[in-house]
Amino acid sequence: MTLRNKFLISKTLLLTIVAVSALSCQRGSSKGTLQVNFIGRGSYEIYKIASEQPLQFVSETSTPFNDKVALSPGSYMILADCSSEIVNIYPGSEIVLTAHAVNFVPLQAPSEKDKFSIQCTRSERTHTRQNLQNHFSLTVLAGTRDLLVGMIPLRIDLPAAESKESRVVSHVLSSISVAASGNEPSDGFFVSPVGEINPYTESQSPGSKLFVLSGAYDLQLNGTEMTVELREGEARTIEPGSLTIETSKNIDLARAEKVRGAPLYAEINGEHYMNLNTTYPVLPGTLDVRIASSLRATSYDIEEGEKLKIHARNVLVDLGCAENDWACLGSRKIRLFEKDKNYHFAESQSDSPILFLEKDVTLGIEGSRNIKLNLGTSDDLKVKVGFLEVTPTPSFKAGVLTDLMRVEPSGGGLHGASLDMVLDKPTTMPLVTGFYHLAQYTFTTSDGGRRKSTHGIHITPGQTVKLSVQSYLSEKKMAIFSGGQEDSSKQ
């Protein structure tokens, strides 16, 4: 090989090396770099945006904080906790972002069943949300971020990325719990912030803590409520009371459901239903207790840790129906009254136990409701019923007019009087077993006197007493009655 050929080969190799080096430098300068500074360890996510409309991603990667990463030119979405940023990478560009540590500090060590929640929007563009449970430390990109921390909105303003200095921002948490009483059934207690237009609600099991920011909160447990004001870092544990609505062991609750078509129950504060003879944990305060069939509630006060037992008495009105005679069973309304009050506080049906909490109570039966029976102080009362059928025989007698006919009781805890009877048609009414008299009041025009005559009646269980009586109508009414009688006979 000649010297000239050797020179040509060496020159060619040199040009090739230079060309490769130049290409390598050109490729290196076509990328840009991204670095996210953070005071601690961890990683963030990078998504390359392939299309804006519709928004599409072609790749993703998880990158450690504080590392410089080379990226091809394009748009990227950077995701951290509850935050995101869009960055545009150009050849040779160096983008530096900053993330900050946002710590929520519980002053009491959390246990496995304790609860702390954070909700936030991670990216407005993708409408992605995060629901973080028991995450007490977040890594958030710089900027203004909105979080829902344990039901309370919290806006955090983190130092801008230009400072490049990562910081730690801390918020001290409070906690609230309701002590476990062992008196479950309970779905747990519920907490919501006071004053929010559409408050979020969190639930927690008794005996476990719910971590929240300081502020005022409404607590609910089995239909009972109370408001608690929490200072920053305060740990508040409510000792619940217990409530039991007791009934006699002899009451036939199954019969009540069979006749009524619904079980007997207790209602607390107008919205929460409770089983009878069952103990429930309740929050301290005033309880409005209503028993099934009652038209109103009775108020009771209960303290923390207090055991409140309320005994409901019961009465059953027995019409003497056959066991499966559903046309008869439950066919009469039964009303309960307080002493000296005309409006009833409870209404139910015959042949079913009726519960009540009031003490001085009288009972009335549909059809003879102004006759009332004093129930006394006994429990497990059973009131037996018979019937009275009165058939008047109308007639006209000059100067004599029957202006009132009714049934009046003769003692035995009964008082009042029935409604006025129709004087020209039969009337049948149920009556509590006992002694009564049928009272007729007759007006005499000759002397203007009003005379009363009575007929004794003894009502026995399940039996019908039939009674025919004479009644005197005015000439005009007698003519109408007689005309009706004639029309009936022609049919």
Side-chain angles (χ1 to χ4, degrees):
M1 182 180 293
T2 64
L3 182 61
R4 178 178 175 80
N5 289 337
K6 289 182 178 179
F7 174 77
L8 289 173
I9 293 173
S10 298
K11 186 177 180 180
T12 301
L13 290 172
L14 179 62
L15 290 173
T16 301
I17 292 171
V18 170
V20 170
S21 298
L23 181 61
S24 176
C25 291
Q26 183 178 359
R27 286 179 177 173
S29 63
S30 70
K31 291 190 176 184
T33 62
L34 172 68
Q35 181 176 330
V36 180
N37 293 330
F38 180 56
I39 197 170
R41 297 180 178 179
S43 62
Y44 61 97
E45 298 170 37
I46 302 175
Y47 293 81
K48 187 171 184 180
I49 300 175
S51 169
E52 290 285 350
Q53 294 293 335
L55 187 62
Q56 293 181 341
F57 303 97
V58 294
S59 62
E60 62 176 278
T61 181
S62 180
T63 304
F65 288 112
N66 305 308
D67 284 3
K68 185 178 290 188
V69 58
L71 298 171
S72 300
S75 295
Y76 294 83
M77 177 177 285
I78 312 303
L79 290 176
D81 290 332
C82 297
S83 57
S84 65
E85 289 290 341
I86 301 294
V87 297
N88 296 311
I89 300 296
Y90 301 99
S93 63
E94 294 183 354
I95 305 296
V96 178
L97 301 179
T98 303
H100 301 277
V102 180
N103 294 333
F104 296 93
V105 184
L107 298 188
Q108 306 84 37
S111 68
E112 183 180 349
K113 293 184 179 180
D114 293 341
K115 185 186 292 186
F116 173 61
S117 67
I118 298 174
Q119 297 181 56
C120 59
T121 299
R122 200 177 190 194
S123 169
E124 293 288 353
R125 296 195 65 186
T126 60
H127 304 290
T128 53
R129 290 185 59 81
Q130 282 182 293
N131 188 352
L132 304 170
Q133 297 292 326
N134 290 359
H135 282 241
F136 293 91
S137 295
L138 305 180
T139 304
V140 184
L141 295 172
T144 300
R145 311 294 179 182
D146 292 313
L147 288 69
L148 189 68
V149 180
M151 304 167 287
I152 295 291
L154 176 67
R155 172 165 288 184
I156 52 176
D157 291 311
L158 302 171
E162 288 77 8
S163 69
K164 299 182 183 179
E165 180 185 352
S166 179
R167 299 181 183 179
V168 176
V169 179
S170 295
H171 298 271
V172 177
L173 295 175
S174 306
S175 71
I176 190 165
S177 65
V178 174
S181 64
N183 292 323
E184 285 36 38
S186 172
D187 294 329
F189 64 95
F190 298 85
V191 181
S192 57
V194 173
E196 295 293 327
I197 298 176
N198 295 306
Y200 288 87
T201 299
E202 287 273 11
S203 63
Q204 180 59 297
S205 301
S208 298
K209 293 186 286 293
L210 183 67
F211 287 100
V212 293
L213 296 173
S214 60
Y217 293 89
D218 286 327
L219 271 67
Q220 292 187 338
L221 175 67
N222 289 326
T224 60
E225 300 181 4
M226 69 179 299
T227 299
V228 175
E229 183 79 36
L230 292 175
R231 301 185 304 274
E232 186 178 87
E234 180 183 3
R236 179 74 183 275
T237 299
I238 307 298
E239 188 70 32
S242 67
L243 173 65
T244 311
I245 310 297
E246 296 181 323
T247 64
S248 165
K249 295 180 180 179
N250 300 320
I251 188 172
D252 189 350
L253 295 176
R255 179 182 178 85
E257 185 170 0
K258 192 175 181 181
V259 173
R260 283 166 41 89
L264 295 175
Y265 59 88
E267 181 186 84
I268 305 300
N269 294 336
E271 59 182 21
H272 191 85
Y273 295 98
M274 301 173 64
N275 293 326
L276 302 171
N277 303 306
T278 303
T279 300
Y280 290 82
V282 293
L283 296 173
T286 299
L287 311 179
D288 291 330
V289 179
R290 187 181 74 84
I291 301 295
S293 303
S294 182
L295 304 179
R296 68 183 186 197
T298 303
S299 296
Y300 300 86
D301 291 325
I302 186 169
E303 303 291 335
E304 283 197 50
E306 180 183 354
K307 296 181 179 180
L308 177 61
K309 293 184 178 182
I310 301 172
H311 184 77
R313 298 164 61 201
N314 73 89
V315 60
L316 184 145
V317 175
D318 182 3
L319 289 186
C321 306
E323 186 61 30
N324 294 312
D325 185 359
W326 297 109
C328 176
L329 290 166
S331 60
R332 293 283 179 169
K333 290 182 180 179
I334 309 300
R335 299 179 176 92
L336 301 183
F337 302 78
E338 280 189 291
K339 184 179 180 180
D340 300 327
K341 293 187 178 180
N342 293 324
Y343 190 78
H344 56 281
F345 68 82
E347 182 175 280
S348 188
Q349 297 162 266
S350 59
D351 307 294
S352 170
I354 306 169
L355 299 176
F356 58 97
L357 302 176
E358 287 74 7
K359 293 182 179 180
D360 199 345
V361 176
T362 59
L363 177 148
I365 303 174
E366 179 186 17
S368 57
R369 62 177 179 170
N370 283 349
I371 296 177
K372 298 173 184 176
L373 172 67
N374 189 343
L375 297 185
T377 59
S378 300
D379 205 349
D380 292 322
L381 296 165
K382 190 169 186 178
V383 176
K384 292 187 176 294
V385 173
F387 292 85
L388 172 66
E389 181 182 307
V390 177
T391 303
T393 302
S395 61
F396 171 72
K397 185 177 181 180
V400 179
L401 183 66
T402 302
D403 63 348
L404 175 64
M405 184 166 61
R406 67 185 186 186
V407 175
E408 299 173 352
S410 300
L414 293 161
H415 59 88
S418 73
L419 297 177
D420 299 348
M421 292 183 181
V422 179
L423 298 177
D424 57 1
K425 295 179 182 178
T427 298
T428 300
M429 68 174 64
L431 293 170
V432 175
T433 55
F435 293 92
Y436 300 81
H437 55 259
L438 179 68
Q440 288 180 281
Y441 295 84
T442 303
F443 179 75
T444 305
T445 57
S446 59
D447 58 7
R450 190 170 185 259
R451 295 176 176 81
K452 176 182 179 181
S453 61
T454 61
H455 189 288
I457 305 165
H458 181 208
I459 300 296
T460 56
Q463 301 299 312
T464 299
V465 176
K466 296 184 178 182
L467 190 63
S468 295
V469 295
Q470 186 79 34
S471 64
Y472 297 99
L473 305 182
S474 66
E475 187 175 5
K476 181 178 181 180
K477 287 186 178 180
M478 191 63 198
I480 295 172
F481 173 77
S482 299
Q485 292 287 88
E486 291 177 4
D487 290 341
S488 298
S489 63
K490 292 178 182 178
Q491 293 178 2

